[in-house]
Coordinates of all heavy atoms in Angstrom, one line a residue:
A124 N -31.7 83.4 13.3 CA -32.4 83.0 14.5 C -33.7 82.3 14.2 O -34.2 81.6 15.0 CB -32.6 84.2 15.4
G125 N -34.2 82.5 13.0 CA -35.5 81.8 12.6 C -35.3 80.3 12.5 O -36.3 79.6 12.5
Y126 N -34.1 79.8 12.3 CA -33.9 78.4 12.2 C -33.9 77.7 13.6 O -34.1 76.5 13.6 CB -32.6 78.1 11.5 CG -32.6 78.5 10.1 CD1 -31.5 79.1 9.5 CD2 -33.7 78.3 9.2 CE1 -31.4 79.5 8.2 CE2 -33.6 78.7 7.9 CZ -32.5 79.3 7.4 OH -32.5 79.7 6.1
V127 N -33.7 78.4 14.6 CA -33.5 77.8 16.0 C -34.8 77.0 16.4 O -34.7 75.9 16.8 CB -33.1 78.8 17.0 CG1 -33.1 78.3 18.4 CG2 -31.7 79.4 16.7
P128 N -36.0 77.6 16.3 CA -37.2 76.8 16.7 C -37.4 75.6 15.9 O -37.8 74.5 16.4 CB -38.3 77.8 16.5 CG -37.7 79.1 16.5 CD -36.4 79.0 16.0
V129 N -37.0 75.6 14.6 CA -37.2 74.4 13.7 C -36.2 73.4 14.2 O -36.6 72.2 14.3 CB -37.0 74.8 12.3 CG1 -37.0 73.6 11.4 CG2 -38.0 75.8 11.8
I130 N -35.0 73.7 14.5 CA -34.0 72.8 14.9 C -34.4 72.2 16.2 O -34.3 71.0 16.4 CB -32.6 73.4 15.0 CG1 -32.1 73.8 13.6 CG2 -31.6 72.6 15.7 CD1 -30.9 74.6 13.5
L131 N -34.9 73.0 17.2 CA -35.3 72.5 18.5 C -36.5 71.5 18.3 O -36.6 70.5 19.0 CB -35.6 73.6 19.4 CG -34.5 74.5 19.9 CD1 -35.0 75.6 20.7 CD2 -33.5 73.6 20.7
L132 N -37.4 71.8 17.4 CA -38.6 71.0 17.2 C -38.1 69.6 16.6 O -38.6 68.6 17.0 CB -39.5 71.6 16.2 CG -40.8 70.9 15.9 CD1 -41.7 70.8 17.2 CD2 -41.6 71.6 14.8
I133 N -37.2 69.6 15.7 CA -36.7 68.4 15.1 C -36.0 67.5 16.1 O -36.2 66.3 16.2 CB -35.8 68.7 13.9 CG1 -36.6 69.2 12.7 CG2 -35.0 67.4 13.4 CD1 -35.8 69.7 11.6
I134 N -35.1 68.2 17.0 CA -34.4 67.5 18.0 C -35.4 66.9 19.0 O -35.3 65.7 19.4 CB -33.4 68.4 18.7 CG1 -32.3 68.7 17.7 CG2 -32.9 67.8 20.0 CD1 -31.3 69.7 18.2
G135 N -36.4 67.7 19.4 CA -37.4 67.2 20.4 C -38.3 66.1 19.8 O -38.6 65.1 20.5
A136 N -38.6 66.2 18.6 CA -39.5 65.1 17.9 C -38.7 63.8 17.8 O -39.3 62.8 17.6 CB -40.0 65.6 16.6
T137 N -37.4 63.9 17.8 CA -36.6 62.7 17.7 C -36.2 62.1 19.0 O -36.4 60.9 19.2 CB -35.3 63.0 16.9 OG1 -35.6 63.6 15.6 CG2 -34.4 61.8 16.7
F138 N -35.8 62.9 19.9 CA -35.3 62.4 21.2 C -36.3 62.1 22.3 O -36.2 61.3 23.1 CB -34.2 63.3 21.8 CG -32.9 63.3 21.0 CD1 -32.5 64.4 20.3 CD2 -32.2 62.1 20.9 CE1 -31.3 64.3 19.5 CE2 -31.0 62.0 20.2 CZ -30.6 63.1 19.5
I139 N -37.5 62.9 22.3 CA -38.5 62.6 23.3 C -39.1 61.2 23.1 O -39.3 60.5 24.1 CB -39.5 63.8 23.3 CG1 -38.9 65.0 23.8 CG2 -40.8 63.4 24.0 CD1 -39.8 66.2 23.8
P140 N -39.5 60.8 21.9 CA -40.0 59.4 21.8 C -39.0 58.4 22.2 O -39.4 57.4 22.8 CB -40.4 59.3 20.3 CG -40.6 60.7 19.8 CD -39.6 61.5 20.6
I141 N -37.7 58.6 21.8 CA -36.7 57.6 22.2 C -36.5 57.5 23.7 O -36.5 56.5 24.3 CB -35.4 57.9 21.4 CG1 -35.6 57.7 19.9 CG2 -34.3 57.0 22.0 CD1 -34.4 58.1 19.1
W142 N -36.4 58.7 24.3 CA -36.3 58.8 25.8 C -37.5 58.2 26.5 O -37.3 57.4 27.4 CB -36.1 60.2 26.2 CG -36.1 60.4 27.7 CD1 -35.0 60.1 28.5 CD2 -37.2 60.8 28.5 NE1 -35.4 60.4 29.8 CE2 -36.7 60.8 29.8 CE3 -38.5 61.1 28.3 CZ2 -37.5 61.1 30.9 CZ3 -39.3 61.5 29.3 CH2 -38.8 61.4 30.6
L143 N -38.7 58.5 26.0 CA -39.9 58.0 26.7 C -40.0 56.5 26.5 O -40.3 55.7 27.5 CB -41.1 58.6 26.1 CG -42.4 58.4 26.7 CD1 -42.4 58.8 28.2 CD2 -43.6 59.1 26.0
G144 N -39.7 55.9 25.3 CA -39.7 54.5 25.1 C -38.7 53.8 26.0 O -39.0 52.7 26.6
L145 N -37.5 54.3 26.1 CA -36.4 53.7 26.9 C -36.8 53.7 28.4 O -36.6 52.8 29.1 CB -35.1 54.3 26.6 CG -34.5 54.0 25.3 CD1 -33.2 54.9 25.1 CD2 -34.2 52.6 25.1
R146 N -37.4 54.9 28.8 CA -37.8 55.0 30.2 C -38.9 54.1 30.6 O -38.8 53.4 31.6 CB -38.2 56.5 30.4 CG -38.6 56.8 31.8 CD -37.3 57.1 32.6 NE -37.7 57.6 33.9 CZ -37.1 57.4 35.0 NH1 -35.9 56.8 34.9 NH2 -37.5 57.8 36.1
L147 N -39.9 54.0 29.7 CA -41.0 53.1 30.0 C -40.6 51.6 29.9 O -41.2 50.8 30.6 CB -42.2 53.4 29.1 CG -42.9 54.7 29.4 CD1 -44.0 54.9 28.3 CD2 -43.6 54.6 30.7
R148 N -39.6 51.3 29.1 CA -39.1 50.0 29.0 C -38.5 49.5 30.3 O -38.7 48.4 30.8 CB -38.0 49.9 27.9 CG -37.4 48.5 27.8 CD -36.1 48.4 27.1 NE -36.1 48.9 25.7 CZ -35.1 48.9 24.9 NH1 -33.9 48.6 25.4 NH2 -35.2 49.4 23.7
K149 N -37.8 50.5 31.1 CA -37.3 50.1 32.4 C -38.3 50.1 33.5 O -38.3 49.3 34.4 CB -36.2 51.2 32.7 CG -35.0 51.0 31.9 CD -33.9 52.1 32.3 CE -32.7 52.0 31.4 NZ -31.8 53.1 31.7
I150 N -39.3 51.1 33.4 CA -40.3 51.2 34.5 C -41.4 50.1 34.4 O -41.7 49.4 35.4 CB -40.9 52.6 34.5 CG1 -39.8 53.6 34.8 CG2 -42.0 52.7 35.5 CD1 -40.3 55.0 34.7

């Protein structure tokens, strides 16, 4: 279970910038 926060952090650090950039590109 100690790996779960690390995996979530890596996923968040990858997908949040991509999502935010794509969202702001449209808006």
Side-chain angles (χ1 to χ4, degrees):
Y126 294 137
V127 173
V129 174
I130 292 171
L131 291 176
L132 182 67
I133 291 171
I134 291 171
T137 304
F138 289 114
I139 289 174
I141 293 172
W142 174 80
L143 188 60
L145 291 174
R146 183 82 174 147
L147 288 173
R148 181 197 297 178
K149 289 180 184 176
I150 296 173

